[in-house]
Amino acid sequence: MKIAILGTGAVGTTIGSKLIELGHEVMLGSRSNTNEKATEFVNKHDKNAYKGTFEEAATFGEIIFNCVKGEFSIAALKSAGSGINNKIIIDVSNPIDTSKGAPLSLIPELCNTNSLGEEIQRNFPNIKVVKTFNTMWSTLMMIPSMLQDGDHTNFICGNDEEAKNEVKNLLYEIGWKEKSIIDLGDITAARGTESLILLWLKIWGATIGTFSIKVVN
């Protein structure tokens, strides 16, 4: 599959490297097709790694990962132009407000009665937004077995059932177990999963090492 990743930070490059390992072709998208981190990503891999602008990457990808910081996600997707039309957008980002420093909070317009996932869907009604992966460290996203043999929870939500099923199949390919994926329903559930980032940051600050969330019933 051809997969686009918008964003060249640790999350985007970690996801991209795993997908290439699985045999997919990956293009990293950024504001400029001369982005240094994207160039490093391409040079790191022997094949199936490409770089381009947001628009070039979106046009390339059959599925698109949004790994751009929450505050810039809408602008990045707008820069992608018609390349995102009718495609699945896997939204990994969180709407963290860094403007006031610590303790961090969520962007006021994108929490409680709204979320980044919903805002993306609202701005781009002809795409299929699926929210997942936003409650964990990037390496754990791609190597779930590093904790409890993968027996921890990954949440997913979105309005389009077919799109969610396609994303679930990709999650299984990465190594996620079916029992570890909890489908929370439509995209409004992103209000809950995005708010977990505030708890995640506090746990991260209080512990050493990799951790995850597990729902026990």
Side-chain angles (χ1 to χ4, degrees), residues 25-72:
E25 296 181 66
V26 174
M27 181 178 287
L28 239 58
S30 59
R31 292 188 186 91
S32 167
N33 57 15
T34 59
N35 182 283
E36 290 184 7
K37 291 181 179 179
T39 300
E40 290 175 7
F41 174 79
V42 171
N43 292 340
K44 175 183 175 182
H45 298 279
D46 294 331
K47 61 179 181 179
N48 293 339
Y50 311 95
K51 63 177 181 175
T53 62
F54 287 134
E55 184 172 14
E56 288 168 340
T59 301
F60 171 88
E62 300 166 60
I63 287 180
I64 302 167
F65 279 82
N66 173 42
C67 300
V68 178
K69 287 183 178 180
E71 59 190 315
F72 305 122

